[in-house]
Amino acid sequence: MGIWSEYGEFWKVTRRNFKTTGALLPSSPFLARALAAELEGPRPAGRILEVGPGTGVVTKAIARRMKPGDHLDCVELNATFADSVRELVRSHRAFSGKRDRVEVITSGVEDLPGTDVYDYIVSGLPLNSFPAALVRRIFEALARLLKPGGVVSYFEYVLVRELQKPFVNKDERRRLHRVGKIVGQYITEFQVRREHVLMNVPPAVVRHLILKPKRAARRGDSSAGS
Ligand SMILES: C[S@@+](CC[C@H](N)C(=O)[O-])C[C@H]1O[C@@H](n2cnc3c(N)ncnc32)[C@H](O)[C@@H]1O
């Protein structure tokens, strides 16, 4: 799919579902690369979850960084987007040699079952468009799904809450304030790295969080002796 047809497809879905897509355009390749950056370099094979792939720009960036033995699940709430990512996985060269290790699940991430499943989570969710209670549920789900020591990478548009506040009503200001508080707590406690991406409309900041520290090995667990 060329860039203009990708924009056209994204727009067709987003104009009817703005509350869940939260964006007018898909992410730029620069933002996609920053979101997938934790997968670069030497590392053991692992399980990767992409949340909210949309038309698949970040999915392609993840696929290009997949190592032998990696497995990628993509969870997408919108059935039209989920189908187009399935088609992308079938047809795009970024997935060649990896197609049987990529699965697309039509669901909200908060409803995915399991605990300590993924080494990496890459999220494109528009948290600032969501009710505060949903943002809390989503962070709880990400923490449950992530293995200890695993990394979640996500983005926010720069100053998105501050720029909206003067133009919205009291209820919406209150919602933005609550979302900011929840997100801020997670950033303060768990952020390990961040990167500004100016080459995106609008500019964004990518945040990398370790939501659960690696458990210390219990006595008798280690390979050091029996
Ligand atoms: C801002 S768009 C990002 C799309 C794509 N990752 C990109 O960067 O261009 C957000 C995506 O998250 C999806 N989404 C929204 N809520 C979701 C949820 N609870 N679980 C999974 N996907 C969700 C939307 O349908 C949409 O595809």
Side-chain angles (χ1 to χ4, degrees):
M1 196 192 309
I3 191 160
W4 293 112
S5 42
E6 184 164 353
Y7 280 18
E9 189 190 336
F10 192 91
W11 173 246
K12 243 193 306 182
V13 176
T14 207
R15 74 195 163 106
R16 285 200 217 98
N17 304 278
F18 191 70
K19 276 278 164 208
T20 52
T21 56
L24 298 175
L25 296 173
S27 297
S28 71
F30 301 93
L31 178 53
R33 207 173 301 149
L35 280 164
E38 288 292 319
L39 303 172
E40 280 168 10
R43 60 173 176 82
R47 287 188 72 98
I48 306 161
L49 175 67
E50 184 191 4
V51 186
T55 46
V57 59
V58 180
T59 322
K60 285 182 275 181
I62 294 171
R64 291 189 183 105
R65 288 159 181 80
M66 280 173 74
K67 315 253 187 236
D70 276 351
H71 184 100
L72 170 63
D73 288 334
C74 307
V75 61
E76 170 57 62
L77 185 67
N78 184 285
T80 307
F81 277 153
D83 282 345
S84 67
V85 177
R86 283 188 192 100
E87 179 50 36
L88 191 73
V89 173
R90 258 194 302 272
S91 58
H92 198 280
R93 64 179 180 280
F95 298 91
S96 98
K98 301 162 188 169
R99 296 184 216 286
D100 56 343
R101 292 184 281 125
V102 181
E103 193 178 338
V104 181
I105 304 158
T106 310
S107 168
V109 64
E110 61 280 19
D111 297 324
L112 278 189
T115 302
D116 296 354
V117 182
Y118 296 102
D119 301 278
Y120 299 93
I121 300 182
V122 178
S123 170
L125 290 186
L127 296 176
N128 288 299
S129 302
F130 292 162
L134 179 58
V135 173
R136 199 178 285 288
R137 272 183 73 203
I138 286 171
F139 268 111
E140 284 166 3
L142 298 180
R144 169 174 55 76
L145 291 165
L146 207 57
K147 287 183 188 169
V151 186
V152 58
S153 304
Y154 76 96
F155 76 92
E156 302 183 274
Y157 297 123
V158 170
L159 295 176
V160 64
R161 287 182 296 275
E162 292 75 3
L163 291 172
Q164 281 184 60
K165 274 181 188 164
F167 304 104
V168 296
N169 66 28
K170 214 165 112 195
D171 287 349
E172 184 59 6
R173 260 202 306 278
R174 196 173 303 140
R175 185 191 68 78
L176 286 168
H177 178 74
R178 287 195 186 133
V179 170
K181 233 171 125 181
I182 297 166
V183 174
Q185 280 165 356
Y186 277 93
I187 292 171
T188 306
E189 206 167 335
F190 301 113
Q191 180 171 284
V192 290
R193 194 167 73 79
R194 69 169 186 188
E195 182 183 350
H196 284 88
V197 181
L198 301 181
M199 300 288 277
N200 190 70
V201 183
V205 55
V206 174
R207 301 187 185 279
H208 306 276
L209 274 57
I210 296 184
L211 294 178
K212 292 191 271 199
K214 258 200 174 113
R215 285 184 205 112
R218 282 178 300 160
R219 260 215 282 177
D221 268 0
S222 79
S223 53
S226 50

